[in-house]
Amino acid sequence: MTRMTSSEAFVEQLVAEGVTDIFGIVGSAYMDALDIFEPAGIRFISVAHEQNAAHMADGYARSTIRHGVCVGQNGPGITNFVTAIAAAYWAHSPVVAITPETGSTTMGLGGFQETNQMPIFSDITKLQLHVSRPDRIAELTHRAFTIAMAERGPVQLNIPRDHFYGEFDAQIAAAQRIERGPGGAESSSRAAEILAAAEFPVIMAGGGVIMSGAVAQARALAEYMQAPVVTSYQHNDAFPASHPLMCGPLGYQGSKTAMRIIALADAVLVLGSRLGPFGTLQQYGIDYWPENAQVVQVDADHRVLGLVRDVALGIHGDAGAAAADLLARLREMGDGVRCLGSAAKRLAEIELQRKKWEAELDTLSASGESPISPRRALRELEKAMPDNAMVTTDIGNVCSVANSYLRFEQPQSFFAPMQFGNCGYAFPTAMGAKVARPERPAIAYVGDGAWGMSLAEVMTCVRENIPTTAVVFNNGQWGAEKKNQIDYYGDRYVGTNLENPSFAAIARAMGADGVTLDHPDQVGDALRAATSSGRCTVLELMLDQELAEPFRRDALRQPVRLLEKYRGYEG
Ligand SMILES: Cc1ncc(C[n+]2csc(CCOP(=O)(O)OP(=O)(O)O)c2C)c(N)n1
Ligand SMILES: [Mg+2]
C-alpha cells in the first residue's frame, strides 16, 4: 500500500495495465489525472470529435490485441462516444471507455453537463463499473481492463468527477490475462469424430482466429485435413490470401469462390465466429449456407453458440487452442479421417472456382474510363497495396464492394465496420491503428458522404503526426442508400445527391496532402506515394455513379401508398 491521490492511483493503474496511448478531448472533469499522463508515459491524443476517439481506440485494439482507451468530458463528451462504442462492441474490441461523470454530490439536480451515463451504454458494453468512492478507483480500473480483454468488448469505467480527488493508501494490481483452453474434452472428442467422418470439410475462420492469434493453428489444421478455408464477413485477414486452401470471405460483396465451396461442405468447422445473421445472407443469388452440413462452432463466448445458426455441436473455447486440440485428435485417428483420401478433389474445386471468380472480377474491373469506375479503382488499389498495409473500410457501396478486392497475408490488417455498419467508421479506426502500429501503412477507404463525418480528423492527423492515408470515393452521392431509391422508390432521390467541395483542397487547407485523381492509371502510383510519404494524405478519387447490389434486399419492400395525396409515390 502506498499513499497516493485518487488521480495518481488511477494513472498508476493505467500504467500497470500497459496503457501508453489514450484518445479523447480535454475536459475539466478529469484534468487532474490528465495533468500527469505525460510523466506516467501516457500519450494523450487530442482529437476533433469524441466519437472518433472511441473509433481510434477500437482501431488501436484491433491492430494489436491491446486495450484501446478513450476519455472525454462528462455529459456531452461522453454521449458523443455512443456510436463508436456500439461499433466496438460488435467488433469485439477491448475498448475501455473512461467516462467521467458529473459530481457525486450534485448528481440528480440537473446541473452542468449532467446526464445519467450508465443506461446509455448498458447494451453496448460487456461491463459497466461505477467508481463509488475515490479509494476504489484503482481496483475498478483494474477490473475494467481485465474484463474488457477477457470478454472481448468495451467496458465503461464511470468516474464522478469529484472522485479524482482525495488521498488514501492504494494498491496497484498487476495486469491480469485470462487464458482460455480448447473447450470441454467431451465436445472436443465429438467434434473430432464429426470432422473425421466428413468427405468435404470446410473451415470457416472468423474474427476469433485473429483475436486469439490463431492463424498458425487454423492453418496447421486446414493443411492436415486439406480443408478449404473461408473467412467470415469482413474478416478477410483471418487466413493468408495466397494460401492454396484460402477461398476468401463470405457475406455481402464477398468471394464467390468461398460461397461456391462452402455450399459443397458436409461439415463446417467454425473457428471463432458468432455466425452473425447479416454475415451469412445469400449473395449474388447463391444460397451458399450448407443447411445439411454438420456444423461445429467454436467460440470464446458461449452465448453465441448455436444462437443464429443451428449447429451440431458448440464448443466453448479459444479458436487457436481448439484448432490445435482437434489437429492432435485427428492425427491420432490416422486413416480413420475420411477426407484425407480426397484432398485432390477439393483442391481442384478451389482452383476451378478461384479462376472463375478472378476472371469475373477482371472483367468487371476493366473499364479505363474517366471518371473512374468504382471496381477499376478498387482493382488498382488492390494491386498497389503495400504488403504490410492495414486497411479500414467504411460502409458505403464502393467500400463494401472493396470486400472482393481486399486480400491480406497477415492478421490484424483489415478493420471494417462489419455488422454494426456505421458510416464514419473507417478513417478514425485507421488512425487508431496507425498510432498503435506506426511501422505499418494505414489506409482508410471512405465514401464521400461518410467523409463528411470524418474529415475533421485530418486536422488531428496533422497536429498529432498520424500519417494516415484516406482514399475518398467521390461519386457525388450517398450511394448505398441511393441504390434503394433506384430499386424501390422510382428514382426519387431524397437526400442522396451530394454536391461536394474539393476534398483534396480541404485536406491541403488543413495541412495535409490532398490529391485529386480522375483517371484509373493514376491510382496505383498515388497510393504508393501516399503510403510512403510519411504524411497524412487524402486521395480523392473521382468516380462514376455506378452502384452495386444494395445491402438489404432481404429487408426492403416495394412501397405501398393508400392515401390519395401520396399517389405516384408507389414503387
Ligand atoms: C451513421 C450512419 N448514418 C447513416 C447510415 C445509412 N447509410 C448506409 S450507407 C450510406 C451511404 C454512404 O454513402 P457514401 O459514404 O458516399 O458511400 P457510397 O455508398 O456512395 O459509396 C448511408 C447514408 C449509416 N450506415 N450510418
Ligand atoms: Mg458516395
Side-chain angles (χ1 to χ4, degrees), residues 51 83 394-400 420-424 446-451 453 473 475-482 498 543 547 551:
Q51 177 183 331
T83 300
D394 222 90
I395 198 65
N397 192 279
V398 180
C399 283
S400 300
F420 191 60
N422 64 300
C423 287
V446 191
D448 51 348
W451 186 239
M453 298 182 183
F473 298 122
N475 60 2
Q477 54 190 358
W478 290 99
E481 296 299 352
K482 189 174 181 176
L498 292 168
L543 300 187
L547 291 167
F551 280 95

Side-chain angles (χ1 to χ4, degrees), residues 76-378:
I78 300 314
T79 52
N80 274 352
F81 277 165
V82 172
T83 300
I85 295 300
Y89 180 83
W90 289 110
H92 312 286
S93 290
V95 167
V96 176
I98 299 164
T99 64
E101 193 177 60
T102 198
S104 65
T105 55
T106 56
M107 184 70 185
L109 303 183
F112 191 57
Q113 298 174 328
E114 176 179 334
T115 188
N116 185 353
Q117 296 178 177
M118 300 299 268
I120 298 170
F121 294 94
S122 61
D123 276 351
I124 50 177
T125 47
K126 293 289 184 183
L127 182 68
Q128 297 179 284
L129 295 161
H130 179 77
V131 176
S132 53
R133 301 162 45 108
D135 59 5
R136 294 193 66 188
I137 200 164
E139 168 209 340
L140 295 170
T141 301
H142 175 56
R143 182 86 181 139
F145 280 81
T146 304
I147 297 300
M149 194 58 81
E151 296 192 10
R152 294 282 333 178
V155 170
Q156 179 187 9
L157 181 62
N158 200 58
I159 311 174
R161 55 184 299 161
D162 49 310
H163 290 357
F164 284 98
Y165 302 110
E167 292 171 32
F168 43 83
D169 293 329
Q171 179 135 21
I172 304 301
Q176 191 183 1
R177 292 287 178 276
I178 297 163
E179 189 186 1
R180 268 202 187 76
E186 208 173 297
S187 24
S188 302
S189 134
R190 257 195 73 206
E193 277 165 25
I194 291 173
L195 294 178
E199 177 69 29
F200 201 110
V202 170
I203 294 176
M204 177 175 171
V209 169
I210 299 165
M211 292 165 211
S212 72
V215 175
Q217 293 90 322
R219 181 178 178 154
L221 179 61
E223 286 175 356
Y224 182 75
M225 296 170 73
Q226 289 291 297
V229 178
V230 303
T231 60
S232 65
Y233 176 55
Q234 293 190 324
H235 282 303
N236 309 18
D237 54 342
F239 205 75
S242 62
H243 195 285
L245 291 166
M246 171 62 155
C247 303
L250 296 176
Y252 184 56
Q253 297 297 339
S255 152
K256 284 191 183 174
T257 312
M259 295 173 201
R260 289 182 178 131
I261 292 292
I262 199 172
L264 301 172
D266 60 351
V268 180
L269 174 65
V270 179
L271 286 177
S273 172
R274 68 188 178 92
L275 295 172
F278 183 71
T280 54
L281 279 182
Q282 62 164 278
Q283 296 292 316
Y284 312 113
I286 309 172
D287 192 2
Y288 55 82
W289 190 258
E291 292 294 345
N292 297 322
Q294 296 277 300
V295 179
V296 176
Q297 183 187 11
V298 180
D299 203 276
D301 178 359
H302 65 97
R303 290 188 188 218
V304 305
L305 297 173
L307 173 67
V308 180
R309 293 267 173 198
D310 286 339
V311 298
L313 180 68
I315 296 184
H316 183 203
D318 172 79
D325 176 81
L326 287 170
L327 175 57
R329 287 171 190 274
L330 291 176
R331 279 214 165 105
E332 257 173 44
M333 291 163 102
D335 291 343
V337 180
R338 191 171 157 214
C339 66
L340 293 183
S342 54
K345 186 177 145 219
R346 289 188 297 282
L347 282 168
E349 189 65 34
I350 297 171
E351 199 46 34
L352 174 76
Q353 296 303 343
R354 187 188 287 133
K355 277 201 178 120
K356 267 170 65 175
W357 177 227
E358 286 307 318
E360 187 178 339
L361 283 176
D362 279 337
T363 310
L364 288 170
S365 325
S367 161
E369 307 280 305
S370 266
I372 311 167
S373 100
R375 284 181 177 274
R376 175 71 193 271
L378 294 168

Side-chain angles (χ1 to χ4, degrees), residues 376-431:
R376 175 71 193 271
L378 294 168
R379 204 51 153 179
E380 292 300 324
L381 292 165
E382 177 198 344
K383 284 193 223 153
M385 192 61 69
D387 283 344
N388 59 343
M390 301 182 287
V391 182
T392 67
T393 56
D394 222 90
I395 198 65
N397 192 279
V398 180
C399 283
S400 300
V401 174
N403 200 23
S404 294
Y405 298 83
L406 286 169
R407 295 105 193 264
F408 302 94
E409 294 303 318
Q410 54 177 317
Q412 297 176 314
S413 298
F414 183 31
F415 316 118
M418 302 178 294
Q419 303 193 34
F420 191 60
N422 64 300
C423 287
Y425 183 82
F427 189 56
T429 301
M431 290 169 62

